[in-house]
Amino acid sequence: QRRPPPPATSAESASSDGRGAEQLQRALREREEQVHALERDNFYFKQAARELKRQLHESSAGASAGDSSGGRRAQTADTERARLEAENQQLGNELANLKEYLLKNPSAQMVRVSKRDHMAALAPAAQPGASPRNSTGNTRAGDER
């Protein structure tokens, strides 16, 4: 026959109550931290929503009033888009010419050039009065001023 466990002594019950209270306080602290974090998030999102509503109101008011700065921005964006499309077309043509050359000349080899070296080689060509550079980006002998 088995005997039931002896009743807990007063020292054992006090320590188990202490652990329970400690766990309860820890859980309460964690919950309070979660609530505090949610309050901060709520504050941030409310501020963001106010700012977005303000911007929307300003932009819709400007558009309905026929704001000329919006028209200027659109015109600038159209000009930039046209410039980029022209540059894209030019680069496409250059790439097609390069591919055609490589197909006609199988002995030609592609050489990888870093973006920095490529941009350095292109930059002086864009500036008037700059000395010409060879494919490595260095000035050619005799061309130095």
Side-chain angles (χ1 to χ4, degrees), residues 116-135:
R116 182 192 58 177
D117 292 342
H118 179 69
M119 296 307 288
L122 292 178
Q127 299 171 355
S131 62
R133 296 185 181 265
N134 62 17
S135 62

Side-chain angles (χ1 to χ4, degrees), residues 20-97:
E22 185 178 307
Q23 288 176 347
L24 185 62
Q25 285 186 350
R26 188 177 319 126
L28 184 61
R29 252 185 279 125
E30 289 174 1
R31 190 64 78 173
E32 286 175 351
E33 289 172 2
Q34 289 175 346
V35 168
H36 186 66
L38 290 172
E39 286 173 346
R40 283 193 311 249
D41 290 347
N42 188 30
F43 177 77
Y44 168 78
F45 287 119
K46 280 183 177 181
Q47 293 297 326
R50 284 187 193 123
E51 180 66 21
L52 290 171
K53 284 179 184 176
R54 185 186 61 77
Q55 290 176 1
L56 178 63
H57 179 71
E58 287 176 358
S59 66
S60 64
S64 65
D67 190 8
S68 63
S69 67
R72 261 187 270 129
R73 275 190 236 129
Q75 186 179 17
T76 304
D78 289 343
T79 305
E80 179 70 9
R81 182 173 176 250
R83 185 189 68 77
L84 289 173
E85 285 176 348
E87 184 179 346
N88 190 28
Q89 182 66 36
Q90 180 186 1
L91 290 173
N93 291 339
E94 289 177 16
L95 183 61
N97 290 339

Side-chain angles (χ1 to χ4, degrees), residues 94-107:
E94 289 177 16
L95 183 61
N97 290 339
L98 181 61
K99 285 180 180 178
E100 183 181 338
Y101 175 80
L102 290 174
L103 288 173
K104 288 181 180 178
N105 299 305
S107 62

